[in-house]
Amino acid sequence: MIRENVDLQALNTFGLKALARYFCRVDSEARLSQALDFAREHKLPLLLMGGGSNLLLRENFPGLVMQVALRGITHTLQDERSVRVHAASGENWHDFVQHCLSQGWYGLENLALIPGSVGAAPIQNIGAYGVEAGDLIECVDVVDIRTGERQTLNHEQCAFGYRDSVFKHSLRGRKLILGVTFRLWRTPQPNLRYAVLAQALSDKGAGPQEIFDAVCAIRRSKLPDPAVLGNAGSFFKNPVLSAEHYARLQQTNPDIPGFPSDAGGPVKVPAAWLIEKAGWKGRSHGGAAVYEKQALVLVNRDHASARDVVELAQQIMTSVQQQFGVALEPEVQWVPPFEPPFL
Ligand code: NAP
């Protein structure tokens, strides 16, 4: 069950070459306990993988890589209006969204086509087009990596923020997510807050299926399919600037887009705009490149090495820092972890 020196290239959507010293696909709780025991016994560092869609593997991994493949979806009707749906962490996120829609369980439509697994959703609090997974998560089942003890964290304990949660902070590397419970709607609750979505739907009606289809169409029009062109989705987080910083940038860049949280408050700025304005859209470095249709995505254009991707990312960050005074942060998980030494 535990294999040695396993090639991870086909298991990360960037398609980067790296070997795992040990590798285990965990598709049952029994296997999970065995794998955790093995890691503890041999004092191995652990890398948890879901869909491998948010990873930048910079070198071979010296410990145990666990691919979490727990499956299963169950539900309980709560009342006329809502349903509780539990999904195991290894379920594919997009398939889960599609399944919910087919069952008449609404709320996740805006999150269609986000790559990765259900178990990754709470960590990043994935969000898109005005909806965040955390808004709909009731609780998360976890197991403690050190002790093997199980626990259920309620919504408050997950401390969801913008692409953020407790799993990125105090519980980082301490808990493995087994499953997620969502509270979804039994009647459609369309969310058309994002102009691009509302525009796409203006002549089609705005039921959940239409929203799902429109989100898929928007994403497909500007994001590369990892099966065709290796990538890990958005490579950088969208930065949040102080109102003063944003106002200064507006003086020299009147066309800079910005989304204030509230009047006079911090302003979210699309990282893609900054990267494109700094001249990086479509440029290459070694086998890595900035995707020509969406500058937030780095792609494996031609047998890229991890070094190509890292150097390209660093050049972009330096250039955006110099031009706009904005420190971009990677959204993708770097293994070993990202450190910002060079700015
Ligand atoms: P986009 O839609 O142009 O969004 C770029 C930035 O502008 C994001 O920070 C977005 O905020 C913000 N924004 C756009 N319209 C807004 C509005 N009406 N109100 C408030 N903020 C607004 O470009 P994109 O990069 O292609 O992203 C599309 C959607 O997918 C976004 O919602 C983005 O967050 C999401 N996405 C999520 C993940 C993830 O969860 N890991 C990865 C990639 C993209 P928000 O980020 O708050 O939406």
Side-chain angles (χ1 to χ4, degrees), residues 264-343:
V267 182
K268 210 177 336 150
V269 172
W273 188 91
L274 299 170
I275 297 167
E276 185 173 346
K277 197 76 175 178
W280 286 95
K281 198 172 187 179
R283 275 173 70 179
S284 307
H285 176 77
V290 181
Y291 190 53
E292 56 279 3
K293 291 191 202 159
Q294 164 58 297
L296 198 50
V297 180
L298 303 191
V299 295
N300 183 347
R301 171 78 57 213
D302 184 17
H303 303 92
S305 64
R307 178 187 273 260
D308 294 339
V309 179
V310 167
E311 286 176 357
L312 178 60
Q314 290 178 339
Q315 289 169 28
I316 292 170
M317 292 166 83
T318 305
S319 141
V320 167
Q321 175 74 53
Q322 284 167 351
Q323 194 162 334
F324 302 105
V326 174
L328 287 182
E329 273 182 62
E331 177 175 282
V332 168
Q333 185 194 351
W334 293 35
V335 181
F338 168 74
E339 288 155 27
F342 44 81
L343 293 177

Side-chain angles (χ1 to χ4, degrees), residues 101-114:
L101 185 59
S102 72
Q103 299 297 309
W105 307 332
Y106 305 120
L108 297 173
E109 307 77 60
N110 300 45
L111 305 180
L113 226 52
I114 294 185

Side-chain angles (χ1 to χ4, degrees), residues 101 109 197 200-201 204-216:
L101 185 59
E109 307 77 60
L197 189 56
L201 289 165
K204 297 193 181 81
Q209 185 65 51
E210 285 81 9
I211 292 179
F212 176 91
D213 292 342
V215 169
C216 290

